[in-house]
Amino acid sequence: MLQHRSPRVTTPNEDRYLAVTAKRNRRSTASDLSRQLSSATGMTVSRQTVYRRLGHIGLYARRPVRCVPLTATHSRLRLAWSREHALWTPQQWSCVMFSDESRFSLQSDSRRTFIWRAPGTRYHQENTIERHRYGGAGWLVWGGIILGSRTDLHVQSVTMTGHIHRDVILELHVRLFRGTMGAEFLFMDDNARPHRANIVDECLQSEDITRMD
């Protein structure tokens, strides 16, 4: 028995209009695109039709990737650092402790913002949202990793300061690895302001801990 397909409600030109509009403003919702199409051409279509038409050309509604914003100077310095250490051996890297801290917000975040993107383009620049501020209450988690080992996680509900970095991070975590590994030990943080406080520099010198820049 033959099945009859529903007649096509949009023309190729209207499909192209939807595609171009979605790519120009990737955060437009299907409802937004439907209204814009109606305003431009007089054709009214449903949200489902918008989804289907964009899906035919490989555009789907997906959550954007969130990343920390980097300036041109940040990118230049990171590239220079990578080139400088490109030929390091595993033995050299085994003496380096990398550390970082992350803030976790306790506020509800439904993350209902979607963008239109094609498969395989998740990390393209136009599909990312730069974000470095988190409002409201939260917890800060610090951790250090070294080849074949790691520190315990340090969790606190207050902002990281130079005093906390010295009294907790350096004294209770980093110093133990420095004592075990000896003079070859290198410590690398993320250049945050509390990590560069004078009291932190003095502690590093007193503990004979070499910071890797």
Side-chain angles (χ1 to χ4, degrees), residues 101 103 138-140 156-165 194:
E101 55 208 39
R103 175 95 185 276
W139 290 88
L140 186 141
Q156 64 185 50
S157 60
V158 296
T159 302
M160 179 65 72
T161 65
H163 285 88
I164 295 177
H165 189 71

Side-chain angles (χ1 to χ4, degrees), residues 97 99 165 187-192 195-196 204 211-212:
M97 172 186 284
S99 69
H165 189 71
F187 177 60
M188 185 170 187
D189 52 37
D190 60 1
N191 289 319
H195 306 162
R196 293 296 182 268
L204 290 171
R211 175 188 281 146
M212 185 179 188

Side-chain angles (χ1 to χ4, degrees), residues 5 25 27 59 68 71 80 90 120 128 141 153 162-163 165 173 185 193 207 213:
R5 294 184 177 180
N25 188 357
R27 300 189 194 183
L59 289 179
V68 176
T71 65
T128 62
V141 180
L153 291 179
H163 285 88
H165 189 71
H173 296 284
F185 176 79
R193 185 175 299 176
E207 296 291 345
D213 294 320

Side-chain angles (χ1 to χ4, degrees), residues 54-117:
L54 294 181
H56 288 162
I57 62 171
L59 289 179
Y60 302 93
R62 298 289 187 269
R63 289 189 177 92
V65 174
R66 286 167 168 77
C67 68
V68 176
L70 295 177
T71 65
T73 300
H74 290 149
S75 300
R76 176 176 54 82
L77 293 176
R78 280 160 172 73
L79 179 60
W81 190 92
S82 299
R83 288 172 173 169
E84 181 181 349
H85 298 86
L87 300 180
W88 269 36
T89 65
Q91 179 60 35
Q92 289 173 296
W93 285 117
S94 67
C95 299
V96 181
M97 172 186 284
F98 293 86
S99 69
D100 198 9
E101 55 208 39
S102 297
R103 175 95 185 276
F104 293 88
S105 175
L106 299 182
Q107 288 186 327
S108 175
D109 182 7
S110 63
R111 300 182 65 185
R112 296 183 64 181
T113 300
F114 286 80
I115 60 170
W116 298 100
R117 64 173 172 83

Side-chain angles (χ1 to χ4, degrees), residues 14 17-18 21 30-45 50:
E14 290 165 346
Y17 178 86
L18 286 173
T21 306
S31 297
D32 292 336
L33 295 174
S34 176
R35 286 192 293 269
Q36 292 178 52
L37 178 65
S38 177
S39 177
T41 68
M43 170 61 71
T44 300
V45 297
V50 173

Side-chain angles (χ1 to χ4, degrees), residues 173-203:
H173 296 284
V174 178
R175 185 168 61 87
L176 297 178
F177 280 81
R178 166 62 177 84
T180 300
M181 301 186 63
E184 298 300 318
F185 176 79
L186 297 173
F187 177 60
M188 185 170 187
D189 52 37
D190 60 1
N191 289 319
R193 185 175 299 176
H195 306 162
R196 293 296 182 268
N198 290 334
I199 57 174
V200 173
D201 290 336
E202 294 171 358
C203 180

